[in-house]
Amino acid sequence: GKYEYDLLVIGGGSGGLACAKEAAQFGRKVAVLDYVEPSQRGTKWGLGGTCVNVGCIPKKLMHQAALLGSALKDAQHYGWNIAQPVHHNWSVMAQAVQNYVKSLNWGHRVQLQDKKVKYFNMKGSFSDPHTIRGLTKAGKETIVTAENIVIATGGRPKYPTHIAGALEYGVTSDDLFWLKESPGKTPLLYYPFILHLHEIIVCISLTDASPDVSLECAGFLTGIGLDTTVMMRSIPLRGFDQQMASLVTDYMESYGTKFLKRCFPTKVEKLESNRLQVTWKNTDLGTEETESFDTVMWAVGRAPETKTLNLETVGVKTNSETGKIIVDASEATSVPHIYAVGDITEGRPELTPTAIAAGKLLARRLFGQSSELMDYDNVPTTVFTPLEYGCVGLSEDAAVQCYGSDNIEVYHAYYKPLEFTVAERDATQCYIKMVCLREREQRIVGLHFIGPNAGEVIQGFALGIKCGATYPQLMKTIGIHPTCAEEITKLHITKRSGLDATVTGC
């Protein structure tokens, strides 16, 4: 043919790999370019993208480490004799997590090889609409041409460069998951970007653009015994239901995470003691405050990886404010035969499963005579905070905006997981909320769950909501006793009634 490849994917993350492998199933000649630019602190990783290397996978495993710490406390109430005090070893956890991530890196390379997808470990940029210039780490150049090109380069954490010292002394989630020693105990000698010896971390969410990252990291750091503070300028978990967000942060405070609310940092300085002194403004009090920390982690949003792609040369349009690529319903950019999927695209959820699904569907439309488009409605998700929060559909606030408060019915309940009873754990923030339309059918438009295993609970109910489930249908669903998910099938008290929504009895 006219070009070397039928499809070239730039970016070896979730969406890009899914698209490439699916296209290869149709017998097409496919190539993937992937290159990890080291972070500001020199951290780099292998094939697989954010989720595998510095996102969902290491985050969930470290969250699990923290949950096990809580389980050790509970175990004593259940008759287990646990020697005190219990200590967590960061190095052991980190090594195990990093080894698993490396096994996934290798697995992705093997899968590409098995499906005869050519893998280039190179940084790609457009020379013309069908030509990509690839550069290796050593600067060796390779020119690759393709009939169709998919951009799936995702994003990387931002630094608040307007804050003095932010770049020099801060880290991001890109670094946190690859530390070999605890960020609360790391001496200057080994990791110059983690400067101190005391067990204190500060995660700062400045614009609340990565609120889930901030709270998830703060949650597992607290859970493994590190003194952790979250600074946030405005609301927690922007974009999520705000009643649920408040319950999540309330639980985290009772769990031991400190919060500096309505505060924003102005500078970071390194002291002679090697601690980091953070200065911030408290907007409520109008005061300037200072405290020293071991590590400053920024969670101020992610920037799309478009800098080196040379998009303007070929005319691929981006949103000037966000830098993300503008696509239509078929993931097509402003240039025919150039597409984009995943976090790099404007207006799409920054979630691994949506990128994978969009990538597969795109390949089927290009090479498999399919016309099916990705449906971005009712996408379930979970925030892996110490008490997990899962949701699907509209928040209560969004439902009110969409339909009006008179046209929605909100069923809710505070419940106590059976597992919490013997362990005498506080369940004040374990809460379920279901948002329905008030019309006769009472279709469910949103479901929100705070409690253990929230992701597993919401995943099941997400199918029903995708299929248009109604409140009467849910009431006919028999619960599995005794589970937390069962409480959803028993929701009967409405907010409108004003009755106490606390579940009592079995």
Side-chain angles (χ1 to χ4, degrees):
K2 191 176 173 185
Y3 306 105
E4 291 173 76
Y5 294 96
D6 297 307
L7 177 69
L8 173 65
V9 177
I10 310 174
S14 304
L17 290 174
C19 186
K21 289 186 285 188
E22 191 71 15
Q25 302 280 71
F26 294 102
R28 297 303 179 126
K29 197 172 179 190
V30 183
V32 171
L33 261 79
D34 186 66
Y35 184 84
V36 179
E37 194 72 59
S39 75
Q40 180 70 20
R41 300 301 170 207
T43 311
K44 56 185 188 294
W45 50 85
L47 183 65
T50 298
C51 172
V52 164
N53 295 283
V54 287
C56 324
I57 299 299
K59 170 197 71 183
K60 178 76 183 290
L61 291 172
M62 290 186 180
H63 169 62
Q64 173 66 10
L67 292 181
L68 288 170
S70 297
L72 286 175
K73 293 175 190 169
D74 291 354
Q76 296 169 87
H77 293 276
Y78 282 93
W80 287 98
N81 186 11
I82 309 289
Q84 297 295 326
V86 174
H87 294 294
H88 179 265
N89 186 317
W90 175 284
S91 301
V92 172
M93 173 190 73
Q95 189 66 62
V97 170
Q98 290 159 19
N99 285 347
Y100 177 64
V101 169
K102 286 173 185 174
S103 77
L104 295 178
N105 298 149
W106 177 249
H108 282 305
R109 294 190 70 157
V110 169
Q111 282 177 23
L112 292 183
Q113 201 169 13
D114 288 348
K115 295 181 188 302
K116 297 182 171 56
V117 175
K118 176 68 175 172
Y119 166 55
F120 295 98
N121 184 206
M122 296 177 183
K123 189 189 300 184
S125 62
F126 282 92
S127 295
D128 68 45
H130 287 280
T131 306
I132 296 296
R133 174 177 175 259
L135 269 183
T136 66
K137 183 182 176 184
K140 184 186 173 188
E141 181 181 279
T142 300
I143 301 298
V144 186
T145 62
E147 185 174 356
N148 299 282
I149 296 174
V150 174
I151 305 166
T153 48
R156 296 288 289 271
K158 290 192 286 194
Y159 273 86
T161 50
H162 63 285
I163 297 173
L167 209 57
E168 296 90 328
Y169 306 124
V171 298
T172 68
S173 54
D174 275 0
D175 307 301
L176 183 68
F177 298 118
W178 287 92
L179 299 181
K180 288 184 167 33
E181 302 292 337
S182 169
K185 291 182 176 179
T186 311
L188 180 62
L189 178 64
Y190 302 117
Y191 285 88
F193 52 97
I194 300 292
L195 296 166
H196 316 296
L197 297 166
H198 307 282
E199 295 188 24
I200 304 175
I201 313 284
V202 58
C203 298
I204 301 182
S205 179
L206 225 180
T207 61
D208 306 304
S210 291
D212 49 341
V213 172
S214 175
L215 295 188
E216 287 172 333
C217 290
F220 74 67
L221 290 167
T222 302
I224 61 175
L226 297 176
D227 186 2
T228 310
T229 301
V230 177
M231 183 184 293
M232 55 187 186
R233 186 160 67 179
S234 54
I235 59 174
L237 294 178
R238 184 180 296 280
F240 290 87
D241 187 288
Q242 281 305 291
Q243 181 193 5
M244 308 305 281
S246 293
L247 289 168
V248 166
T249 53
D250 287 350
Y251 182 85
M252 285 183 70
E253 285 191 276
S254 69
Y255 183 72
T257 306
K258 301 182 188 72
F259 282 85
L260 293 169
K261 296 175 183 175
R262 294 185 54 76
C263 296
F264 63 92
T266 53
K267 64 180 173 182
V268 182
E269 300 165 289
K270 188 166 96 166
L271 302 174
E272 282 185 18
S273 64
N274 270 345
R275 285 171 66 78
L276 295 178
Q277 181 170 280
V278 179
T279 303
W280 68 87
K281 285 192 175 164
N282 184 317
T283 55
D284 281 340
L285 302 175
T287 55
E288 185 173 87
E289 298 169 27
T290 298
E291 195 174 327
S292 61
F293 299 93
D294 295 304
T295 302
V296 174
M297 180 187 137
W298 302 105
V300 298
R302 296 178 69 82
E305 277 285 89
T306 56
K307 298 184 296 291
T308 60
L309 290 173
N310 210 13
L311 296 179
E312 58 286 346
T313 299
V314 290
V316 172
K317 288 183 180 168
T318 59
N319 180 318
S320 57
E321 285 184 23
T322 64
K324 292 193 174 190
I325 295 171
I326 296 165
V327 291
D328 65 12
S330 67
E331 323 300 345
T333 70
S334 53
V335 179
H337 73 262
I338 299 179
Y339 303 86
V341 295
D343 293 6
I344 195 78
T345 52
E346 182 63 37
R348 304 291 197 234
E350 295 187 359
L351 297 169
T352 290
T354 52
I356 291 171
K360 285 182 179 178
L361 289 170
L362 173 57
R364 290 170 195 165
R365 289 194 301 274
L366 287 173
F367 307 116
Q369 288 79 51
S370 172
S371 59
E372 185 183 353
L373 297 174
M374 176 63 189
D375 180 2
Y376 290 97
D377 283 338
N378 288 323
V379 172
T381 191
T382 292
V383 183
F384 290 99
T385 37
L387 198 57
E388 297 171 10
Y389 166 35
C391 60
V392 59
L394 298 177
S395 66
E396 183 179 352
D397 326 296
V400 168
Q401 273 192 332
C402 236
Y403 300 105
S405 56
D406 290 342
N407 297 315
I408 64 165
E409 196 73 88
V410 178
Y411 294 90
H412 67 148
Y414 288 92
Y415 70 100
K416 186 158 192 169
L418 183 63
E419 301 87 335
F420 283 24
T421 54
V422 170
E424 297 173 8
R425 282 177 64 176
D426 180 32
T428 309
Q429 287 83 27
C430 289
Y431 179 69
I432 302 164
K433 174 161 69 174
M434 187 166 66
V435 186
C436 304
L437 298 181
R438 269 187 100 190
E439 33 118 52
R440 187 171 53 85
E441 193 185 34
Q442 285 198 289
R443 181 166 61 88
I444 304 165
V445 294
L447 179 62
H448 303 264
F449 177 98
I450 291 179
N453 307 300
E456 311 298 339
V457 171
I458 286 294
Q459 183 68 78
F461 286 101
L463 170 64
I465 291 171
K466 193 75 175 171
C467 293
T470 64
Y471 177 71
Q473 288 171 334
L474 186 77
M475 289 303 99
K476 290 178 184 174
T477 302
I478 303 300
I480 299 170
H481 192 64
T483 63
C484 295
E486 170 193 27
E487 300 300 334
I488 296 175
T489 68
K490 300 193 292 187
L491 290 172
H492 66 283
I493 292 172
T494 66
K495 276 194 172 183
R496 195 182 303 278
S497 72
L499 296 172
D500 180 10
T502 305
V503 174
T504 54
C506 189

